[in-house]
Amino acid sequence: ATSYQKEDFVGKYALSNRILTDREKAMVPTLPDWYIIPKEVVRVCEHAKATTASNQPMRNFLFRGEAGTGKTMGAQAIAAGLNLPYTLMTCSANTEITDLVGQFIPDTNGFHGSTPIEDLPKISDITMHPPSVYMMLTGEYDESKTVDTPLVEAIRHGYVCELQEPSCIANPGVLVGLNSLLDNCQVITLPTGERVRRHPDTVIVVTTNSDYSGCRDMNQSVISRMDLIYDMEAPDLNTMVKRVMNVTGFTDEQEATKMAIVVRDIAERCRQTMITDGSCGMREFKSWVLSTMVTNDPYESALSTIISSASADPDNRAELISACLETQYSKTI
């Protein structure tokens, strides 16, 4: 595999000659020493920069993959390569379009609470018409009291925004409502009526895991607006070992390799036997190594890290212990 050095990557794909403010400079991610830059991240930056002068610059990207395959770190690395600030929005089943594009936030500085508690507005009042609630509290009618969400901030100022796990959203119309944002050089109308045009440097990275419980298939209208779609595969054994040793400071490469084999076997066993109520990947591997550094007992630490994370079902865990863990480690007494 090609190895990409950070000094040849970070900041080398700037989309314009813009000068960042001090706050924006602080928002540009710093890649940790242990991070190995994936080819997919470099390709995204290459495409984004190479198409900047075209009529349709490539600015929307999708990373799909299992937990721990580096999707979020990949989005942060893209921001580092483009030398752009990074923002993040994490979606849930209850995410609505207003969560993504913003809501009215009444500024009640100076309000001393003279309104009797029984006359204070209800949550439903705030949801239905925030300016009226603001007037009730302050005596002024103002429709301009809004706060930008990270997504709107990225669109307004030209940042990289990671939209995390949108496939979890229960309301299928929410992502469709973002289509105007995903179209390059389009505008979005905020709740205040302000029309915000997408900055030409704005990059949206959608990261999702469709295998998670609660995740749904991505809406096809959103898929069609992605310029590049990468399926992030689990790292190979050697990469797993190098990454976890760099992150944790663990120095025994032979032992780390042995543990990586167990993690890989558990993940494969879960796929084969349709154990889908847990996860066993890089995050769990890191936790196992860290715990082993405390206990000095890989078997004991495995039970509360990779085994317990893989499934909540006792029978499933027993099977994973006998089929995967005990092939490498003997049960401690």
Side-chain angles (χ1 to χ4, degrees), residues 259 284 287-308 325 332:
M259 298 169 78
E284 291 73 27
S287 297
W288 185 20
V289 170
L290 287 170
S291 177
T292 299
M293 293 170 68
V294 175
T295 65
N296 294 316
D297 187 338
Y299 189 98
E300 176 190 338
S301 293
L303 299 180
S304 56
T305 54
I306 57 170
I307 298 298
S308 59
L325 179 61
T332 54

Side-chain angles (χ1 to χ4, degrees), residues 63-115:
F63 283 166
R64 292 183 301 217
E66 299 176 3
T69 52
K71 300 183 294 297
T72 288
M73 275 302 305
Q76 294 176 5
I78 289 170
L82 300 177
N83 193 37
L84 290 176
Y86 164 82
T87 63
L88 166 68
M89 289 206 70
T90 302
C91 302
S92 68
N94 297 322
T95 296
E96 296 291 343
I97 192 67
T98 51
D99 298 316
L100 299 176
V101 302
Q103 296 179 347
F104 287 97
I105 308 295
D107 179 3
T108 57
N109 288 337
F111 172 65
H112 300 295
S114 59
T115 303

Side-chain angles (χ1 to χ4, degrees), residues 6 49 51 172 251 271:
K6 280 189 274 295
K49 183 173 178 60
T51 60
T251 57
R271 281 191 290 269

Side-chain angles (χ1 to χ4, degrees), residues 101-314:
V101 302
Q103 296 179 347
F104 287 97
I105 308 295
D107 179 3
T108 57
N109 288 337
F111 172 65
H112 300 295
S114 59
T115 303
I117 189 168
E118 62 270 13
D119 295 333
L120 287 174
K122 301 179 178 63
I123 294 297
S124 57
D125 298 328
I126 298 174
T127 303
M128 290 297 295
H129 198 232
S132 297
V133 173
Y134 182 78
M135 182 175 181
M136 180 188 303
L137 295 174
T138 66
E140 300 177 10
Y141 187 86
D142 191 343
E143 292 191 344
S144 65
K145 303 297 182 181
T146 61
V147 173
D148 282 350
T149 66
L151 178 60
V152 172
E153 184 181 24
I155 288 167
R156 188 191 295 275
H157 301 294
Y159 300 164
V160 173
C161 181
E162 179 189 357
L163 194 60
Q164 195 174 74
E165 302 297 353
S167 55
C168 291
I169 298 175
N171 183 354
V174 172
L175 282 180
V176 177
L178 288 177
N179 285 346
S180 62
L181 291 178
L182 297 175
D183 288 330
N184 291 327
C185 301
Q186 295 301 310
V187 299
I188 180 173
T189 302
L190 301 183
T192 60
E194 178 189 1
R195 291 170 61 81
V196 178
R197 183 170 294 277
R198 178 170 173 167
H199 191 287
D201 288 352
T202 299
V203 171
I204 295 177
V205 182
V206 177
T207 58
T208 186
N209 184 335
S210 58
D211 291 334
Y212 267 170
S213 177
C215 291
R216 297 163 177 79
D217 291 336
M218 194 73 73
N219 187 281
Q220 289 302 310
S221 65
V222 175
I223 290 288
S224 69
R225 287 171 169 80
M226 296 293 108
D227 296 312
L228 292 176
I229 300 174
Y230 283 112
D231 291 294
M232 305 292 282
E233 297 182 357
D236 59 49
L237 207 65
N238 185 50
T239 302
M240 289 176 64
V241 171
K242 287 183 177 179
R243 187 181 296 178
V244 82
M245 288 179 67
N246 287 333
V247 172
T248 63
F250 194 64
T251 57
D252 190 337
E253 184 174 354
Q254 183 177 358
E255 188 69 21
T257 301
K258 187 176 175 182
M259 298 169 78
I261 291 172
V262 175
V263 172
R264 182 195 62 187
D265 290 348
I266 289 176
E268 181 60 29
R269 187 77 175 185
C270 288
R271 281 191 290 269
Q272 292 176 351
T273 58
M274 301 298 289
I275 299 175
T276 59
D277 63 330
S279 175
C280 185
M282 280 301 303
R283 293 192 185 97
E284 291 73 27
F285 183 24
K286 180 186 69 175
S287 297
W288 185 20
V289 170
L290 287 170
S291 177
T292 299
M293 293 170 68
V294 175
T295 65
N296 294 316
D297 187 338
Y299 189 98
E300 176 190 338
S301 293
L303 299 180
S304 56
T305 54
I306 57 170
I307 298 298
S308 59
S309 295
S311 178
D313 185 273

